[in-house]
Amino acid sequence: MKKNLVTLMMVLVAGIFSKTMAQTDNKPNVVLITLDGLRWQELFSGADPLLVANKKYVGDTTELKSLFWRESAEERRASLMPFLWNEVVKIGQLHGNRNQGSKVDLTNSMWFSYPGYNEILTGTADDVNITSNNKFNNPNKTVLELVNNIPEYKGKVAAFGSWDVFPYIINKERSGIPVNAGFDLAQGDDLTDREQFLNKLQQQLPSPWGSVRLDAFTHHFALEHMKKKHPKLMFISYGETDDFAHDGEYDAYLKAAHNTDGLIKELWEYTQADPFYKDNTTFIITTDHGRGTEPLDTWKGHGSSIKGAGEVWMVAFGKGVKALGELTGNEQMFTTQIAPTVIKALEAPKKAFDLKAKPIRLNSK
Ligand SMILES: [Zn+2]
């Protein structure tokens, strides 16, 4: 009798367990991507006429012009980011072209990276606690942590970044979310051949910077993780655009933007070829801050003293996203809306969150 009862309970538990698993497996997945400090000006108008042939910022102006200079803004942006402007524009939404009246803005007043990522990931600006890029554990909980705290999403969230401050922004210690950032290597006793090779290559290919690795490493570590673990919520932060801009290398900045566009295309194509992700994954892409335009030199920088550095953009496509293309006509969105939009796209239980900002309505005009 007792034995039967135990068996019955085991069957019930297994039933509940597999039901929960199945429930989350059917729910949509989200890939949240950031391109550090890519200006909306390049995203929507391509190479800047004042910079593309400027010898102060470009090594080989002939080469750069042949790559990315075209007569119209539409042609320029398509040569710079062909995946976004030939494919995503047909299936998704691109917000933030202020020349068309579409505005996306930060609400934090710092206009540099930690406050920007804090705002993207937590859905709230925190100008009291997040006032530097120092490596301190974020007192705020990110959407990654909140989702990971829901039992059926436990262990199904992961973060990869090029910048070595992400373990602190995401508070890896408290959240328990796997964060591979900066010069971290892939870890575990089940490394794929590719991960082992990436570990070796990352140590043999020096980065131009002390705290940021080249994006190809972040990208391929992330891709391998997706193939192996199939996280429901994936955060990937590319960093080259910001660092090349700080270095004052406009050619490298444009080439990095072009390269990242290709990396995102590769991610999208992978998800559409994998039965777990296919037709059930939403991509949301944004940036942590803008950069200046006037005086010209300020394109290199950002921060509260740089006019326009609070102007950002947002791109979405995939599951549940209506094909609106490039948004025109007046609209105002804020970076605080990204985190609630992620939750909505996941169809995660709302009661686990208490975010004030409204999600962006991706499925309707
Ligand atoms: Zn920066």
Side-chain angles (χ1 to χ4, degrees), residues 190-200 224 228:
D190 59 343
L191 295 187
T192 64
D193 286 351
R194 280 192 176 205
E195 285 173 320
Q196 289 177 29
F197 179 64
L198 286 167
N199 281 354
K200 193 173 170 184
E224 286 303 288
K228 204 159 71 175

Side-chain angles (χ1 to χ4, degrees), residues 85-365:
W85 290 110
N86 295 329
E87 299 183 44
V88 170
V89 71
K90 292 183 196 144
I91 61 166
Q93 305 176 13
L94 300 100
H95 300 263
N97 188 354
R98 301 175 101 86
N99 297 329
Q100 301 280 4
S102 170
K103 295 176 184 168
V104 187
D105 286 272
L106 294 175
T107 71
N108 79 75
S109 64
M110 305 288 156
W111 301 356
F112 58 85
S113 286
Y114 197 147
Y117 290 117
N118 173 72
E119 184 171 341
I120 293 167
L121 293 171
T122 69
T124 318
D126 182 357
D127 285 352
V128 174
N129 295 303
I130 315 295
T131 58
S132 81
N133 278 341
N134 295 341
K135 290 177 175 167
F136 61 95
N137 273 329
N138 195 341
N140 308 305
K141 286 187 181 162
T142 68
V143 67
L144 308 175
E145 181 170 354
L146 295 172
V147 169
N148 192 58
N149 285 346
I150 302 170
E152 59 262 45
Y153 284 90
K154 198 94 202 159
K156 295 178 179 178
V157 179
F160 290 75
S162 294
W163 189 33
D164 67 0
V165 184
F166 278 107
Y168 303 88
I169 298 172
I170 294 163
N171 202 330
K172 185 177 181 176
E173 221 173 81
R174 183 190 62 215
S175 67
I177 290 164
V179 183
N180 177 308
F183 299 95
D184 286 344
L185 301 175
Q187 288 179 341
D189 44 21
D190 59 343
L191 295 187
T192 64
D193 286 351
R194 280 192 176 205
E195 285 173 320
Q196 289 177 29
F197 179 64
L198 286 167
N199 281 354
K200 193 173 170 184
L201 196 61
Q202 183 168 277
Q203 294 169 88
Q204 293 174 336
L205 186 52
S207 168
W209 313 290
S211 61
V212 179
R213 67 180 161 199
L214 293 166
D215 288 329
F217 291 106
T218 301
H219 175 76
H220 287 289
F221 278 130
L223 194 51
E224 286 303 288
H225 185 87
M226 287 175 81
K227 290 176 188 170
K228 204 159 71 175
K229 302 271 164 79
H230 290 108
K232 302 288 300 173
L233 173 56
M234 187 74 179
F235 174 59
I236 305 174
S237 175
Y238 299 111
E240 284 173 21
T241 39
D242 186 65
D243 283 274
F244 283 125
H246 283 297
D247 293 345
E249 296 179 25
Y250 195 68
D251 37 4
Y253 168 75
L254 291 189
K255 286 176 185 177
H258 181 74
N259 182 54
T260 314
D261 174 86
L263 299 180
I264 295 166
K265 177 184 162 81
E266 190 173 64
L267 279 176
W268 172 247
E269 287 176 352
Y270 156 67
T271 61
Q272 296 312 293
D274 184 316
F276 181 86
Y277 290 113
K278 186 177 163 49
D279 298 331
N280 201 27
T281 302
T282 311
F283 275 54
I284 299 171
I285 313 174
T286 190
T287 188
D288 55 330
H289 55 72
R291 334 189 68 82
T293 52
E294 173 65 43
L296 188 61
D297 216 35
T298 61
W299 78 271
K300 296 197 295 180
H302 53 87
S304 55
S305 62
I306 307 286
K307 187 163 60 83
E311 299 171 359
V312 294
W313 48 266
M314 200 279 294
V315 171
F317 55 99
K319 172 76 174 179
V321 181
K322 196 167 180 183
L324 300 177
E326 179 186 17
L327 275 290
T328 58
N330 290 331
E331 65 164 357
Q332 174 70 65
M333 292 175 13
F334 296 99
T335 297
T336 48
Q337 295 178 269
I338 305 275
T341 306
V342 167
I343 294 162
K344 195 171 178 206
L346 283 170
E347 296 174 17
K350 281 198 199 97
K351 61 179 190 297
F353 308 96
D354 178 28
L355 298 180
K356 287 178 186 64
K358 292 257 176 301
I360 298 151
R361 290 163 58 208
L362 294 176
N363 57 358
S364 62
K365 174 81 188 172

Side-chain angles (χ1 to χ4, degrees), residues 5-47:
L5 193 64
V6 170
T7 313
L8 178 67
M9 280 176 67
M10 280 170 69
V11 168
L12 281 173
V13 168
I16 291 163
F17 187 64
S18 66
K19 194 161 174 249
T20 335
M21 295 290 283
Q23 273 170 357
T24 43
D25 276 1
N26 294 335
K27 291 249 184 105
N29 310 290
V30 171
V31 182
L32 175 63
I33 298 171
T34 54
L35 276 66
D36 200 304
L38 176 70
R39 296 194 300 185
W40 66 266
Q41 287 88 347
E42 273 82 16
L43 173 60
F44 290 100
S45 299

